[in-house]
Amino acid sequence: MNLSIKWCHQWLRMDKEPEFNALDAEQARQAVDCRQVFDAMRAVEADLTRRFAGSMAWKTVSGQDYLYRRRGKVERSLGPRSAETEAVEAAFRDGKARAEDMAQGLRARLERMAPVNVALRLGRVPNVVARVLRRLDEQGMLGPRIAVVGTNALFAYEAAAGVQFGSGLLATVDVDLALDARRSLTLATEMQPDGLLGLLRKIDRSFAIRRDGDFRAVNRDGFMVDLITAAPRDLRRRTAAPRLSAGVEDLEAAEIGKLQWLVEAPRFTATAIAENGLPVRMVAADPRFFAAHKLWLAGREDREPEKRGRDRLQGEAVAGLLAGALSNLRLDEASLSQLPMELAVRLREAVGQASSAARPEW
């Protein structure tokens, strides 16, 4: 076990089960192999989406052959048949075939690795959460506009740190998605016409909202997807609640005060593994901002006592990672400039306590 992680265990609770445990050598090796294959597959699929998107074909116009490139509904000529355009067409055709073959092979390998991941207890992210994140990623929404900010964000942090949190910290029946509404582009033009609710129903047809404009969708198993955003700093500039579609029925982001530093936090990306053993790209709020937010919530007297206790444990657990496996994330003023001073001070204190407890005693 990594010493810094082991000492963090001693700091977290001497009289109870540690809040996280390091992966053993076999688990760590399998997790790294899975991530490398997944990264390779994503790179090839990105090539297929960009360089090899669409098709090329020859068309005869006024007795002359021309090479046309088609992407979606857009088609343009690349010029008359010549040695040069024939080389372009051949390179595109052969390159796309190779990329498709490689993507298929890498996907098949990940599917073969999945049962091993499950057997090694690496499958962590609930399958429904993983499927939601994959669909958002396919739509280009995960990261630029949407990030995971609730309890499920812990799966991203533990995957990056090579640890596993205790089950008590992870129990939840929902996933909180934070919408960063600062950018001027409208979500309706970036996503399918039926929005987030339509996306959820492609995963599970039972997802429904209580009324149009609600911020929460629930499926028949009681699993909830919440869409939240930060309340505007200047309430006089409040407009209609952000949503993912201009359609009749979709979720609207619930505006929550004192949430700017979390919704607008830097993004943190990691490859985690779902319960079925398949990898999933996760984009969450930066763990420094997550920990600061949880520690702030734990100090609020108007929050339910049981939630405050869990907030404190989650905040302290992530602070433990920041003192050890994620100590590369800086805590200087520039790095935490988006945080209110009070939260930055509280975060540094928690990480400092973890670091002090991590030192061996003579």
Side-chain angles (χ1 to χ4, degrees):
M1 181 186 293
N2 180 285
L3 289 178
S4 63
I5 295 175
K6 182 176 181 181
W7 297 338
C8 285
H9 288 174
Q10 297 172 354
W11 162 70
L12 283 166
R13 292 290 181 271
M14 291 296 293
D15 57 343
K16 61 187 293 188
E17 183 181 352
E19 301 296 350
F20 56 77
N21 291 292
L23 300 180
D24 63 32
E26 188 175 6
Q27 287 176 313
R29 181 171 58 252
Q30 178 72 8
V32 170
D33 289 347
C34 185
R35 183 168 62 247
Q36 289 176 341
V37 176
F38 183 62
D39 289 345
M41 186 191 75
R42 282 182 57 83
V44 174
E45 289 181 342
D47 256 1
L48 286 169
T49 301
R50 293 193 293 266
R51 284 203 301 158
F52 300 116
S55 61
M56 284 188 187
W58 297 100
K59 286 189 176 183
T60 302
V61 180
S62 301
Q64 173 71 53
D65 287 343
Y66 289 86
L67 179 61
Y68 278 81
R69 175 74 180 271
R70 184 179 182 86
R71 296 186 185 184
K73 296 180 180 180
V74 179
E75 188 176 58
R76 69 185 183 91
S77 172
L78 299 182
R81 185 183 289 272
S82 65
E84 182 180 352
T85 53
E86 287 181 347
V88 168
E89 189 273 337
F92 178 85
R93 183 184 64 247
D94 295 344
K96 184 170 185 175
R98 285 194 300 271
E100 288 175 339
D101 182 67
M102 181 171 289
Q104 184 177 359
L106 292 169
R107 183 175 290 269
R109 184 178 175 191
L110 288 172
E111 291 172 354
R112 292 194 299 271
M113 297 176 81
V116 180
N117 293 338
V118 173
L120 290 174
R121 301 185 302 279
L122 291 173
R124 306 282 287 170
V125 184
N127 289 328
V128 64
V129 175
R131 294 183 69 193
V132 170
L133 296 181
R134 290 191 190 105
R135 299 304 173 269
L136 287 170
D137 202 14
E138 290 169 2
Q139 295 288 338
M141 299 293 297
L142 187 64
R145 297 302 299 270
I146 290 180
V148 180
V149 295
T151 294
N152 284 279
L154 294 173
F155 293 118
Y157 308 149
E158 67 171 25
V163 304
Q164 290 185 345
F165 288 111
S167 58
L169 291 181
L170 297 170
T172 185
V173 293
D174 67 351
V175 58
D176 294 328
L177 302 177
L179 169 63
D180 186 346
R182 291 175 296 172
R183 301 186 184 185
S184 59
L185 292 176
T186 61
L187 290 172
T189 63
E190 295 178 20
M191 201 171 170
Q192 55 198 35
D194 45 359
L196 181 57
L197 184 61
L199 181 147
L200 294 175
R201 284 175 172 167
K202 289 183 178 180
I203 296 169
D204 182 340
R205 294 179 60 186
S206 71
F207 269 110
I209 57 178
R210 293 169 294 183
R211 60 187 181 278
D212 181 38
D214 196 5
F215 73 96
R216 171 175 290 168
V218 186
N219 71 359
R220 62 188 172 189
D221 298 321
F223 187 85
M224 296 171 283
V225 177
D226 292 350
L227 184 64
I228 62 176
T229 192
R233 292 180 174 88
D234 186 350
L235 296 181
R236 294 171 298 181
R237 297 184 179 180
R238 184 189 298 274
T239 58
R243 57 191 297 168
L244 294 171
S245 170
V248 174
E249 186 185 31
D250 196 17
L251 280 76
E252 288 185 359
E255 294 180 343
I256 300 178
K258 304 293 186 181
L259 203 63
Q260 284 89 355
W261 57 78
L262 190 61
V263 172
E264 299 174 4
R267 300 309 199 213
F268 183 85
T269 303
T271 297
I273 298 176
E275 291 174 336
N276 62 5
L278 293 174
V280 56
R281 177 176 176 261
M282 295 195 70
V283 180
D286 187 293
R288 294 166 292 187
F289 290 69
F290 177 94
H293 180 67
K294 288 294 182 177
L295 294 170
W296 173 76
L297 287 175
R300 289 180 62 94
E301 294 184 0
D302 60 346
R303 190 162 172 80
E304 298 92 325
E306 62 274 13
K307 290 185 178 180
R308 290 173 60 190
R310 194 159 184 257
D311 291 332
R312 177 180 56 80
L313 290 176
Q314 289 182 340
E316 290 178 349
V318 176
L321 294 186
L322 294 170
L326 299 182
S327 60
N328 60 302
L329 298 176
R330 299 173 63 87
L331 301 176
D332 54 39
E333 290 187 10
S335 301
L336 302 181
S337 61
Q338 292 175 243
L339 280 176
M341 184 177 298
E342 176 189 353
L343 270 70
V345 169
R346 190 175 302 180
L347 174 64
R348 292 190 187 98
E349 289 176 350
V351 175
Q353 290 173 2
S355 298
S356 298
R359 298 190 186 96
E361 296 181 1
W362 290 94

